[in-house]
Amino acid sequence: SGKRSLQTAQRQTERMKELIQGLLLLSQVESYRLAPDEGDRISITELMVNVMAALEKYPDRDRVSLDYPSDAFLLGINVEMESICINLIENALKYTSPGTAIEVTWTESDRGEYVFSVKDQGPGIEADDLSNITRRYYRGPKSRAETSGSGLGLAIVQHAATKHGATLDIESEPKKGSRFSVTFPSYRCTHEQRNSARIFKIADY
C-alpha cells in the first residue's frame, strides 16, 4: 500500500505540473495578438517531428498518419504552434478507441491558407458539449469519467489560434468521429524558395 500511495502522489504531482504548465502557456497566448510579420519562420516538417517526439509516451501513436507538404513554412511562435498540434493529437489519442485511425494533415486552401486538421473515428461530441468545449477547465461527462486532464488543452488551442489570426473549427457527430481544424491566414504561410541556394552562390562571385 506504501507503493500505491507513492504512485498516487506521483500521479497527482504530474497532474499539477501539467496544470501549471497549461496555465502558464494560457497566460502567454492570451496576452496579445501577433503583428502579421511577427514570429519565427517554422518548418512544418520540423514542427511535426518535434510534435510526434513529444507524444512518445503514447504507445499507440503509430495509428496517427501524417500528411503535409515538406516545403511549407509558417510564421509564428514555435512553442505555441507545437502546443496547438500536441493538444489536438493528444485529445484524439486519449478519447478514441485503440486501433482506430487518426488522420493528421496540413493542406493549403485556394486562398493560400494552411489548414492543420486532426480527424478521428471516436465517439464524437454531443451538441451541448460542442458549444462549451473551448472553455477553460471544461471537460465533458465522458472525459471526466474516463481520462485525466486539466481541461485547459482546447482553451490553449483556441487562444493560440486567435493570437496568430487563425480560426479553430470543430466538426463532430456522435458515434461518427470528429475533425478539429486550425486555419492560418495566408500572410503566415510560405513555401521554401527552392532557388535560394543558387542566388547565394552567384552572390559569392
Side-chain angles (χ1 to χ4, degrees), residues 196-205:
S196 58
R198 200 166 64 243
I199 290 164
F200 287 128
K201 275 182 190 162
I202 293 164
D204 287 344
Y205 290 106

Side-chain angles (χ1 to χ4, degrees), residues 42-168:
I42 301 162
S43 154
I44 285 176
T45 301
E46 278 180 41
L47 175 68
M48 295 316 295
V49 166
N50 293 337
V51 164
M52 293 313 290
L55 292 166
E56 66 187 357
K57 67 177 176 181
Y58 292 94
D60 64 338
R61 70 180 181 146
D62 59 354
R63 63 193 176 100
V64 176
S65 68
L66 297 176
D67 187 15
Y68 53 86
S70 59
D71 65 341
F73 285 78
L74 200 60
L75 193 67
I77 308 295
N78 208 6
V79 67
E80 293 170 19
M81 288 294 110
E82 284 184 10
S83 190
I84 287 173
C85 301
I86 289 166
N87 276 306
L88 292 181
I89 300 171
E90 188 167 38
N91 278 356
L93 285 164
K94 274 184 184 176
Y95 299 126
T96 61
S97 304
T100 59
I102 296 166
E103 295 169 42
V104 175
T105 57
W106 283 91
T107 52
E108 189 173 353
S109 77
D110 297 340
R111 292 193 293 267
E113 304 154 321
Y114 287 164
V115 183
F116 172 69
S117 178
V118 179
K119 185 175 184 287
D120 67 49
Q121 299 170 357
I125 302 157
E126 299 290 342
D128 289 352
D129 282 338
L130 209 49
S131 56
N132 288 311
I133 202 164
T134 57
R135 276 183 20 223
R136 70 178 71 190
Y137 307 121
Y138 183 79
R139 299 175 68 222
K142 268 202 182 77
S143 69
R144 279 198 294 272
E146 293 166 18
T147 59
S148 65
S150 65
L152 287 174
L154 281 177
I156 290 170
V157 170
Q158 174 75 77
H159 283 289
T162 303
K163 183 173 175 177
H164 285 78
T167 54
L168 169 66

